[in-house]
Amino acid sequence: MAVVSWKEMLLLTGLVVGCYWNSLSCGFVFDDVSAILDNKDLRPSTPLRNLFLNDFWGTPMAEERSHKSYRPLTVLTFRLNYLFSELSAASYHLLNIILHAVVCVLFLRVCRVFLDKTFSLLAALLFAVHPIHTEAVTGVVGRAELLSSIFLLAAFLAYTKSTSTDHSIVWPPIALTVVLVAAATLCKEQGITVVGICCVYEVFVAQGFTLPMLLDTLRQVLQGKDGFPYAVLQTLLKLIVLVISTLLLVIVRVQVIQSQLPVFTRFDNPAAVSPTPTRQLTFNYLLPVNAWLLLNPSELCCDWTMGTIPLVESILDLRNLATVVFYSFLCLLAHYSMRYRHSSAKTVIMALSLIVLPFIPASNLFFPVGFVVAERVLYVPSMGFCVLVAHGFKIVSHKGQLKKISWLMIGVLLTTHAVKTFNRNWDWESEYTLFTSALKVNKNNAKLWNNVGHALENQNNYAMALRFFLQATRVQPDDIGAHMNVGRTYKNLNKSKEAEEAYMVAKSLMPQVIPGKKYATRVAPNHLNVYINLANLIRANDSRLEEADQLYRQAISMRPDFKQAYISRGELLLKMNKLTEARDAYLRALELDGTNADLWYNLAIVNIEMKDPSEALKNFNHALELNPRHKLALFNSALLMQESGEPKFWPEANRRFLIYVEEEPNDANGYFNLGMLAMDANENAAAEHWMRKAIGLQAGFRSALFNLALLYSQSKREVDALPVLDELLRHHPEHVKGLILKGDILMNHKKDTRGAKACFERILQMDPTNVQGKHNLCVVYFEERDLPRAERCLEETLALAPNEEYVRRHLNIVRSKMAAMSAAGEPLSREGGSVSAKEEEPQGAKEAMEEIAVGEKEGRGADAVGKGAGDEKNVRKSSAEGLQSGGADQTEPLDGTQAGKRTKGKSTKEIKDIEEKRAAALKRLEEIERILSGD
């Protein structure tokens, strides 16, 4: 068995890099979205043990929607990628290229077991460049095939060393083989098939048995003429150890999936739910289809589900001829390889074992899988194909007249395959390029039309996306997901009527509930989202809230473990102010998924509505324990601490706001609230810094501008406050408190009664009943020495606020002054010395406002921060969990919002501030009275 030289390693590695270097520019597409972008198991915040509890896509194995694909070692490599480069797609593609090069080198080493040096290298070169591998190498999720293949080949190589030169058993290589088989299986399920390959090798290659020899030995034993030869007994002992180890692995694997097969629908694999003989004829026809892809990989497609390959419904279907030819050729090769003992037969039997055994789990012949054809599952079977090609070329090239032509043909084959592979990589650059390339091959797959629509939708090109979604409904009229996509797109185009009609069509296609039959076995779990999306659409109309609630309850009745239905219903009940029911809905959802940070967050929002801030803070903290950088929980928990008025909470609130602005550096609300905290702590320099930062990010930020001006005013920097107020009033000319503060500064500090008068008159133009503006205008009249007008003004003010004692006192003072001046014969309306007078400062050190929980749109995975009004203090933010759709499936994300509105009551701190300012205002009123009385 010749070893692999470093030159051969460099040749294979160089060829792999030459074929696949352009894949480094590709992004995450198709199934990569679910396996990488939406998979929380990759995040360092997720416990490492979750990798061994969840499936390949991050779904708990116990959940019915799990695909039951248990590949923790593959997910571990994704997690390592994330650790070093987070979501930089290039690093994931680079590692795939490296792994493919390693597989090629190991495959060359395996080929040396039954091929000579030249033709084993030829087989490895063909394997390195074969276009069928682009899905496994360029698609990031194909890493499962790459890793499984590495351990599979290593296990086989270890097993080849299990027989010593004296033909005795060497146990350490067998033990290593078992360990490597387990590792291969933990990368992808088909890794376990290497045990069968080892058995074939042991019987037909290592021991040199043929089928006639085995039958003859068995006949003699059964007839009692002879016992088993020693070589046969040794072989049986080794095979028994392998088989028992395999059975243990199978038992563990069955326990992991809890003895449940994944739920697939007719859209994933139409033949799987077809009657006899359609099911058998179609599944057998798929074998020559896969063989043809290996022979002629000219038309490759990323998705072969749904209507890609029409069902073979009759024995008279001409496609059955392809099945017959395929089985005939396979039987001829098997007969040849098992009948003779020469090296050619051994090569063929090993090639067949590499083709057939690893393909069995994906063949649909023994149990259904979630696809019709998948190019990446041909990664290992293509090894056997390459061995057959190389062996056939060896036979042809030894014939003198064909030698040159055969070498030329193999050169052309390698070149064309390499070019095809390089060009095929470009198709995987983005989802749009991938799915449009697939449509060139197959226009009968509604899922492809849907996925092109999704790609356009992600570019906000809704009009074009709608065309593809509608085409999907024409190609597959009973595709529930396609109608859901049409509905969502109409909604995005603000065509609510059309959206509702599309959702109703999708709903009508749902299988009816049959008493005694489990509903989930007949429908894809994410198709139930039609109820959620329809309810989310109609609940925008307040008169249809009960109708929306009925839809949520209908979805829950169909699947009591439908978590998203509880979440959406909780949002609706919050909007309907049914707080206890909303809380119960979220608690039920938490029973189903207690590790979901978004659920704890939403429960906290309900607690706030129920006026239970301590419980709300506790649930916010639960969310942050699960996800320490949960942006909404950071913001709203810090806001709750700030509103509590308790100084002991301020440092932690400040820390959370700081983390929030790290996560959302362009959100002015975070900086604004940091400024408010600094104002509470009398840290004026920090408050000014944060307010300026907020204003810089959001020009015209009303509350930030007003509170910055107020900060300057309180800090005796009235001159600095005026430009800020001017900017505030330029953006918000009807801002009453800004006008009052500006008028106050102009009258008391700039002695500009005309400017102050204009401010107060502007207030009264907007609101003639504004007592504060009216009274301050009266003071301006007094400053202008127009006592009769001041008297009339105060009388009008008193009529507006008959219980305000200070207005009554001021009116009495003015009347007394007028009487004194009349007695002295002085005119009542004349210019005189100025009087510094002002009513109380605008109530409250900081401008209060209504807080609204704003929901955001749902996608393939993401906790976006819902934006508030942007110009108000302390906007309560909220989120709802999005629906996960596997890969680039045609089903849509939840398109609802989380509603929830709360009006903030005054905190203890704010009440204390207001009382202090009222006391200060009373002192100023006393000064006004002394001035009025003493003049």
Side-chain angles (χ1 to χ4, degrees), residues 278-579:
T278 301
R279 182 172 65 256
Q280 290 77 11
L281 292 175
T282 303
F283 284 155
N284 280 281
Y285 171 68
L286 294 179
L287 300 178
V289 170
N290 281 278
W292 181 249
L293 287 174
L294 290 173
L295 280 168
N296 180 31
S298 59
E299 292 187 339
L300 300 178
C301 181
C302 63
D303 193 321
W304 295 81
T305 56
M306 302 187 87
T308 303
I309 299 175
L311 297 174
V312 181
E313 299 178 309
S314 169
I315 296 177
L316 300 178
D317 193 313
L318 291 178
R319 289 175 294 173
N320 290 317
L321 292 176
T323 306
V324 172
V325 170
F326 171 80
Y327 275 112
S328 299
F329 184 69
L330 190 66
C331 290
L332 286 173
L333 288 176
H335 177 267
Y336 169 78
S337 61
M338 290 189 290
R339 187 173 182 82
Y340 303 104
R341 299 185 63 180
H342 49 68
S343 61
S344 176
K346 293 179 180 180
T347 300
V348 172
I349 192 68
M350 288 309 302
L352 288 178
S353 67
L354 282 169
I355 292 173
V356 174
L357 296 177
F359 186 73
I360 286 176
S363 66
N364 281 293
L365 295 177
F366 298 97
F367 49 83
V369 294
F371 52 83
V372 178
V373 173
E375 293 165 11
R376 62 174 176 257
V377 303
L378 293 174
Y379 189 77
V380 176
S382 69
M383 295 178 185
F385 171 78
C386 292
V387 170
L388 276 181
V389 172
H391 183 61
F393 175 70
K394 175 183 177 181
I395 295 173
V396 172
S397 64
H398 285 166
K399 297 180 179 180
Q401 66 273 23
L402 297 177
K403 185 174 183 178
K404 292 183 179 181
I405 295 176
S406 61
W407 278 108
L408 177 63
M409 290 178 63
I410 204 69
V412 171
L413 180 65
L414 290 174
T415 302
T416 54
H417 274 28
V419 171
K420 172 65 177 178
T421 297
F422 184 83
N423 290 332
R424 173 64 174 159
N425 291 332
W426 293 121
D427 292 339
W428 290 80
E429 185 174 14
S430 68
E431 293 203 324
Y432 181 77
T433 57
L434 179 64
F435 297 128
T436 51
S437 70
L439 281 177
K440 294 176 185 176
V441 176
N442 170 37
K443 292 180 170 57
N444 296 321
N445 187 340
K447 193 173 179 181
L448 293 176
W449 292 99
N450 277 310
N451 284 331
V452 175
H454 282 306
L456 291 167
E457 188 179 34
N458 291 336
Q459 302 170 12
N460 295 325
N461 189 351
Y462 299 120
M464 184 63 71
L466 181 61
R467 293 173 55 186
F468 282 88
F469 290 142
L470 288 171
Q471 180 61 25
T473 63
R474 287 189 283 268
V475 171
Q476 186 92 29
D478 58 350
D479 181 8
I480 298 172
H483 291 286
M484 292 169 67
N485 292 332
V486 170
R488 186 185 64 257
T489 309
Y490 274 130
K491 182 176 181 295
N492 289 331
L493 292 170
N494 297 317
K495 297 182 177 181
S496 299
K497 181 181 178 182
E498 291 85 347
E500 184 173 349
E501 290 173 354
Y503 284 140
M504 292 301 293
V505 172
K507 182 172 174 286
S508 69
L509 293 171
M510 297 288 288
Q512 298 301 309
V513 176
I514 300 175
K517 186 170 183 180
K518 196 173 183 182
Y519 188 80
T521 61
R522 300 179 298 113
V523 65
N526 48 16
H527 282 172
L528 282 172
N529 292 336
V530 66
Y531 294 96
I532 307 298
N533 290 308
L534 180 57
N536 290 339
L537 177 69
I538 66 175
R539 79 182 195 188
N541 184 342
D542 289 344
S543 66
R544 302 180 69 184
L545 298 183
E546 291 293 343
E547 185 181 347
D549 188 34
Q550 176 62 32
L551 287 167
Y552 291 137
R553 284 186 278 124
Q554 188 174 355
I556 291 170
S557 69
M558 292 177 174
R559 284 182 62 94
D561 62 345
F562 192 9
K563 178 180 64 179
Q564 189 58 47
Y566 291 105
I567 295 171
S568 298
R569 185 165 186 252
E571 298 162 11
L572 177 66
L573 293 169
L574 190 59
K575 182 177 181 180
M576 298 169 71
N577 203 33
K578 296 182 178 180
L579 302 181

Side-chain angles (χ1 to χ4, degrees), residues 544-684:
R544 302 180 69 184
L545 298 183
E546 291 293 343
E547 185 181 347
D549 188 34
Q550 176 62 32
L551 287 167
Y552 291 137
R553 284 186 278 124
Q554 188 174 355
I556 291 170
S557 69
M558 292 177 174
R559 284 182 62 94
D561 62 345
F562 192 9
K563 178 180 64 179
Q564 189 58 47
Y566 291 105
I567 295 171
S568 298
R569 185 165 186 252
E571 298 162 11
L572 177 66
L573 293 169
L574 190 59
K575 182 177 181 180
M576 298 169 71
N577 203 33
K578 296 182 178 180
L579 302 181
T580 303
E581 293 181 54
R583 181 194 60 192
D584 293 343
Y586 284 128
L587 288 172
R588 175 63 179 131
L590 282 167
E591 289 176 9
L592 298 170
D593 185 7
T595 62
N596 189 314
D598 290 328
L599 284 176
W600 288 106
Y601 170 82
N602 287 352
L603 182 59
I605 294 295
V606 177
N607 295 140
I608 290 174
E609 293 294 330
M610 297 180 75
K611 305 295 187 291
D612 191 353
S614 61
E615 192 67 20
L617 186 58
K618 185 189 301 183
N619 290 324
F620 280 138
N621 290 337
H622 271 304
L624 291 171
E625 287 171 7
L626 294 166
N627 181 5
R629 302 190 81 82
H630 191 291
K631 292 179 285 191
L632 299 173
L634 283 167
F635 184 95
N636 286 293
S637 62
L639 189 55
L640 197 61
M641 292 176 179
Q642 181 183 358
E643 291 176 356
S644 71
E646 295 289 340
K648 65 180 181 182
F649 289 131
W650 292 350
E652 177 62 17
N654 192 73
R655 185 188 71 84
R656 293 187 183 187
F657 276 133
L658 286 172
I659 297 174
Y660 175 77
V661 297
E662 287 179 12
E663 295 292 312
E664 288 288 328
N666 296 319
D667 186 1
N669 287 294
Y671 299 102
F672 169 72
N673 282 284
L674 282 166
M676 300 304 292
L677 273 173
M679 287 182 70
D680 286 339
N682 294 319
E683 297 174 358
N684 292 346

Side-chain angles (χ1 to χ4, degrees), residues 908-926:
T908 304
K909 169 67 176 172
E910 288 170 324
I911 293 171
K912 183 179 178 182
D913 286 342
I914 291 172
E915 292 303 323
E916 290 175 353
K917 296 200 181 308
R918 286 190 185 279
L922 287 174
K923 289 183 180 179
R924 287 194 290 274
L925 287 172
E926 291 172 1

Side-chain angles (χ1 to χ4, degrees), residues 7-29:
K7 291 182 180 179
E8 290 171 325
M9 291 183 188
L10 287 178
L11 175 61
L12 287 171
T13 303
L15 193 57
V16 168
V17 172
C19 287
Y20 287 99
W21 68 265
N22 59 334
S23 69
L24 296 176
S25 63
C26 298
F28 295 115
V29 298

Side-chain angles (χ1 to χ4, degrees), residues 85-109:
S85 62
E86 293 193 350
L87 294 177
S88 172
S91 70
Y92 293 78
H93 289 296
L94 177 61
L95 184 53
N96 272 24
I97 294 173
I98 293 171
L99 292 174
H100 181 53
V102 172
V103 173
C104 291
V105 173
L106 284 173
F107 177 57
L108 175 59
R109 185 74 176 81

